[in-house]
């Protein structure tokens, strides 16, 4: 039986599947919320799935309620993977609605889920929050101001959580991927050198380490996971 739980948002995506598998192999009870209807699966060999809209406070609270429902496996980690990318024109060519959409998609679920989970992590004696930003947050490129800003905001938020909750035993770290080697990204960039991209499994290993006791001294870190890019 698992002795600790992890809540993984975006756990069904290209990166999320690898992260979910990594925690299951590590013996965690894994809770994966999604927007589609999903049956609850047996804990241990498969993740516990539920339907929740993480863009809304009630959905985030619902996800945390399921993640904390097993007293034998207290919630000890939250992994925020929900996000998205959209390219566009330069800033003066980008409608504010598109800018707002990137902020809402990348920052709002991270904020709401972390906010709902923090009291439980503190009550459990501490734990870890891992957020996913992007290399673009520290090395911007043109044509994606909304995405760049949103991922920089995720990084800033994670650092704020690290400072506020370090005295209470909760640490917060961020990974910054380059282009992730997923089928969707390969389809979008068929002529790129995919060998230089970072694989989901490689990122998943870093995330699981940041959630585990072995990384207990580390909080407020921004970890580059660029592969060979």
């Amino acid at each position: 039986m698992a002795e600790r739980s992890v809540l993984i948002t975006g756990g069904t995506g290209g990166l999320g599947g690898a992260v979910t598998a990594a925690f299951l192999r590590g013996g965690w009870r894994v809770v994966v919320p999604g927007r589609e209807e999903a049956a609850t699966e047996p804990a241990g060999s498969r993740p516990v799935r539920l339907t929740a809209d993480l863009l809304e406070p009630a959905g985030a609270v619902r996800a945390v309620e399921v993640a904390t429902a097993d007293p034998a496996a207290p919630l000890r980690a939250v992994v925020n993977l929900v996000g998205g990318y959209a390219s566009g024109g330069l800033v003066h060519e980008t409608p504010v609605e598109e800018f707002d959409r990137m902020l809402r998609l990348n920052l709002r679920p991270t904020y709401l889920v972390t906010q709902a989970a923090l009291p439980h992590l503190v009550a459990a004696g501490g734990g870890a929050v891992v957020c996913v930003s992007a290399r673009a947050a520290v090395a911007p490129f043109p044509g994606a101001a909304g995405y760049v800003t949103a991922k920089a905001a995720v990084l800033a938020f994670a650092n704020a959580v690290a400072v506020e909750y370090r005295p209470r035993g909760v640490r917060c770290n961020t990974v910054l991927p380059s282009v992730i080697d997923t089928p969707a990204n390969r389809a979008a960039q068929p002529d790129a050198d995919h060998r230089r991209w970072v694989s989901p499994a490689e990122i998943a290993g870093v995330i699981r380490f940041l959630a585990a006791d072995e990384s207990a001294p580390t909080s407020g870190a921004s970890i580059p996971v660029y592969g060979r890019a």
Side-chain angles (χ1 to χ4, degrees), residues 34-60:
R35 299 191 69 171
E36 303 296 329
E37 291 292 335
T40 299
E41 301 176 67
S45 60
R46 295 183 179 273
V48 178
R49 300 190 183 275
L50 71 142
T51 303
D53 183 357
L54 302 182
L55 288 168
E56 298 301 329

Side-chain angles (χ1 to χ4, degrees), residues 155-223:
L155 179 57
F157 171 69
N159 289 340
V161 171
V163 170
E164 289 187 1
Y165 289 88
R166 183 181 294 118
R168 303 183 183 188
V170 178
R171 50 208 170 78
C172 187
N173 296 289
T174 312
V175 296
L176 286 73
S178 59
V179 182
I180 304 173
D181 190 2
T182 64
N185 285 337
R186 285 194 174 219
Q189 302 181 54
D191 298 327
D193 184 357
H194 305 144
R195 296 171 301 175
R196 297 175 61 86
W197 293 358
V198 61
S199 74
E202 290 173 319
I203 300 173
V206 175
I207 289 174
R208 190 177 69 174
F209 170 75
L210 291 173
D213 295 340
E214 289 82 357
S215 63
T218 303
S219 190
S222 304
I223 310 297

Side-chain angles (χ1 to χ4, degrees), residues 27-90:
W28 292 66
R29 173 178 174 264
V30 179
V31 177
V32 178
R35 299 191 69 171
E36 303 296 329
E37 291 292 335
T40 299
E41 301 176 67
S45 60
R46 295 183 179 273
V48 178
R49 300 190 183 275
L50 71 142
T51 303
D53 183 357
L54 302 182
L55 288 168
E56 298 301 329
V61 170
R62 168 63 179 154
V64 171
E65 286 177 345
V66 174
T68 57
D70 185 350
L75 181 65
R76 298 305 300 269
V78 174
V79 178
N80 291 302
L81 302 180
V82 170
Y85 170 77
S87 60
L90 301 178

